[in-house]
Amino acid sequence: MLFRTRFYLDRLLQGTRTRDFKTLYFVPSSPSNKQMTDTASPDPTSRRDILITAALPYANGSVHLGHMLEYIQTDIWTRFQRMRGHTAVWVWADDAHGTPIMLSAQQQGIEPQQLIDAMKIEHERDFVDFQLSFDNFHTTHSEENKACAELIYARLKAGGHIATRTIEQLYDPEAEMFLPDRFVRGTCPKCGTEDQDSDACENCSTTYDATELVNPRSVVSGATPIKKDSEQFFFKLDNFETMLREWTTGDQLQPEISNKLKEWFEGGLKDWDISRNKPYWGFEIPDAPGKYFYVWLDAPIGYMGSHRNLLGDNTAEFDRYWNADSTTELVHFIGKDIAYFHTLFWPAVLEGAGFRKPSGVYCHGFLTVDGAKMSKSRGTFIKARTYLDHLPPEYLRYYFAAKLNNKVEDIDLNLEDFQARVNSDLVGKVVNIASRCAGFISTRFEGRLADELSDPALFAESAQAADSIAEAFEKREYSRAIREIIVQADKANQYIAEHAPWALIKEPGNETQVHQICTLGINLFKNLIVYLKPVLPGIAEQTEAFLNIKPLTWDDAQHPLLNHGIEKFKPMIKRIEKESIEAIVNDSKEDLQTTETNSPVVSGPLADDPVSDEIEFDDFAKVDLRIATIVAADHVKGADKLLQLTLDLGGEQRNVFAGIKSAYDPANLIGRQTVMVANLKPRKMRFGLSEGMVLAAGPGGSDLFILSPDQGAAAGMRVK
C-alpha cells in the first residue's frame, strides 16, 4: 500500500487521476508537467512527438536483470529526448494473457486474475525503484485493450484479411480438451532438443506448430495427445507481402534484422493462427463462442490499450498518434527473440486495420552474466528486486549504458568488471571532481562561485562535446556516449590535479586563482552530469540540489554557472564493495531454493541453465584436442551465428558448425589452423551433421577468437 500511494502521488504530477475500468489512470496535459521539468523550450518547428514502448513483461513471474537491460535502454533514450525538448511519451503494460498464466495460477492454487494483479504491483514497484520514467504502465487484460483488439479484428475481417480453416490440433484424450500452446511439450522437430514448448525451441529458436513436436506429451495429464480437427481463424499475412518487403528494408529496422527477415520471405509468408480454443486466459473473440484471441495478437495491441488508458477520453490525441497519416513517431524497444512478431505480423496488422506503422523497431541481444547464460544454480539469474536490495539502480544503469550499442549483440554483465568500472568511472572520476572542488567553495568563498573561469577554453571544449554525445544517444550508441563523457571527465581531473588548488591555497595571494579553478571544476562536473542525466537521473537530481539550480536540460552544458551560490557538497555515491556482489549472488541462489520448494512458476526462454556436475581429471583427459586446418568455410542459410567449416585433421576431413559468425568472415578463415574437439559425438542439426567442435574464447560478438596453435604445427597433431 505504501508503494501504491507513492506511485500514484508521483503520477498525479502529470495530470488528473480518473477512475475507469476498475483501473486508476491519468489524463496529462501535453506535454506533461513531469516532462517539462526536464526539457528545454525547443523551436516548435523542430519539436518531435514520440510515442515509445518497451516489450511487455510477462505477468507470471518476477522481473530479472535480463528484462532490465531493455527497460534501462528504453529509459535512457526517453529521458534524452525529453532533455532535448521533445515530447516523449512512454507507455507499456504487463502481458497478462496466455497459457503460462493459466499454468502458473493453477500451480499456485489461485485464479489467473489474482496472479496478474499481484505481478503488476510487483513489476511497477521494481520499475519505479529502478528510476524508469514511463508515463503509463497498464495491463493487456483491460477494457481498453479489449476494445482495441476487437476493433482491429473487425477491421481485418471486413478487409478480407481473416480466413477460417479446419486444422488438426493436439487433443488430450484423458482430460478431454484441446491443448493450448505450452500445454504440450516434446522434442524439437528441427534440432532434436528434448522437453521443448509447443511453439518454439529454446535451443535453436525455431518456431513451429505443436503438431510438429516429436514425442509430444500433455502437461495436463501426461497423456500422449491425439490429433483432432478444430476450426480456427487465421490472419492472411501474405496479403501484405509487397508492403512488408518495402517496409522491412527501411531505416526503421537495424540491418541485421532486415537481413534476417529476407529468409522468411524466401520461404513464403505463412498465414498466422490468431485463435485458440478454450480453456484459454484471454479475450473471447466476438461472435465466436469458445474461441479466444491468441496472446500474440492482443499483446502488441497492448501498446495502444495503455496509450488509451493514459489519455482517457482524449480520442483526438490518440488518433493523432495512431492514425495512418500520423506525423508523430512510434518507437518500439524489444529483444531480438520477438523481432519476428514486431517486424512482420505487427506492421501488417496495423496496415490492415488502417493504423500507422512503427517509425522504429530497435532490437537488442540477450544478457549473459560472467560470460554465460543466466543461471539460478550459479546465482546469476538475478531478480531486479534482489539487485535493489543491495545496490542503487544508478550502478547498473551506468554499466548497461557503457556496454550498449545500436547493434543486435548480446551484452555480458561481468560482475568483476561491473564493480571496477563503476568505482573507477563514477566514484573515481565523475563525482570526484565535485568533491575535490566544492569544499574550497564552501569554506573559503562563502559557497559562491567565482565571476570568471580559470580556463574558459577548457569549458568551451566540454560544451562542444554536447553535439557528438547527443548524436551517440540519439543513435542508441550509448557505449560511445559514455566513452566520450569519460574522456571529458579525465580532462577535468587532469586539469585539477595539475593546478592543485589544495597546494595553491596555502600560499598567500592565490585565493582568486583557486576560486576560479574550483569554479571551473564545478562547471565541468555540471556538464558531465548534463550528459549523464539520461543514465543517472538520481545523481542528476542530487547535483541539481547541490548546485541550487532548476532541472538540467541539454542546453545547460553551454552556459557556465558564475557568481552563483551553491549548497554544501554531500557524498552522492559510494564504492561497490565485493561483499555486495557476493550477497546478490548468494541471495539469488536462495531465491531459487524458495521458488523450487514453495511456488513453482513457468519460466520463459531465459530459464535456468544449471551447471553440470564437476568432473574428475580422468574425465577431462578423455577429450581429444586436435589441430585442424580450415579448408572450406561458408555461411549457413537460416542461422544467425553459425559458419559451416570443413576441417582437415591430416588426411581426414570433418564437417563442423561453429558459432563464430559474428567475429569472422568465412573467406578469411580458409587456410587457418585451429583447435577442435575431435572425439565429440556427432550431433544432428537442422543444417546437417556437426562432427566436432571448434574452440574459441572471448566475451562474444565481434570479440570472439578461435584458438590457434603455434606456427608450424601439423594438422591432426594432438594438443597436450
Side-chain angles (χ1 to χ4, degrees), residues 351-491:
E351 175 85 359
F355 291 107
R356 59 92 45 79
K357 295 183 288 296
S359 313
V361 180
Y362 302 135
C363 300
H364 60 84
F366 294 134
L367 177 70
T368 59
V369 180
D370 286 341
K373 186 177 178 181
M374 296 171 64
S375 168
K376 292 177 181 176
S377 58
R378 290 194 300 270
T380 57
F381 191 95
I382 303 169
K383 294 180 181 179
R385 181 51 50 183
T386 305
Y387 171 90
L388 290 168
D389 286 342
H390 298 281
L391 289 174
E394 283 90 351
Y395 299 159
L396 190 67
R397 291 176 63 99
Y398 179 79
Y399 190 76
F400 280 167
K403 304 276 278 189
L404 278 162
N405 56 35
N406 59 4
K407 295 180 174 59
V408 191
E409 294 180 347
D410 293 349
I411 302 297
D412 185 53
L413 169 58
N414 181 289
L415 295 176
E416 184 176 344
D417 179 54
F418 165 63
Q419 178 186 2
R421 182 172 297 205
V422 169
N423 289 345
S424 172
D425 290 0
L426 295 186
V427 181
K429 295 182 179 181
V430 176
V431 177
N432 184 52
I433 299 169
S435 65
R436 296 171 89 180
C437 298
F440 293 106
I441 299 295
S442 297
T443 59
R444 296 283 185 152
F445 307 109
E446 299 179 345
R448 198 159 195 87
L449 299 175
D451 293 332
E452 297 180 11
L453 303 174
S454 57
D455 190 340
L458 183 57
F459 179 83
E461 182 181 349
S462 169
Q464 189 177 10
D467 289 341
S468 179
I469 295 170
E471 179 189 48
F473 276 124
E474 175 65 42
K475 293 181 177 180
R476 307 176 318 285
E477 296 175 353
Y478 300 166
S479 58
R480 176 164 73 88
I482 295 299
R483 287 196 300 272
E484 295 187 19
I485 292 168
I486 295 303
V487 166
Q488 295 300 317
D490 286 337
K491 291 179 179 180

Side-chain angles (χ1 to χ4, degrees), residues 295-309:
V295 59
W296 263 110
L297 179 74
D298 67 64
I301 296 174
Y303 304 140
M304 304 175 77
S306 182
H307 196 205
R308 282 188 62 167
N309 175 259

Side-chain angles (χ1 to χ4, degrees), residues 1 58-59 63 118 131 150 157 189 195 237 244 319 373 382 459 476 546 562 592 601:
M1 180 59 72
Y58 203 54
V63 172
Q131 302 174 343
E150 291 180 351
K157 188 174 181 180
D195 197 31
L237 184 62
L244 288 172
D319 292 342
K373 186 177 178 181
I382 303 169
F459 179 83
R476 307 176 318 285
F546 159 57
L562 300 173
L592 170 62
V601 297

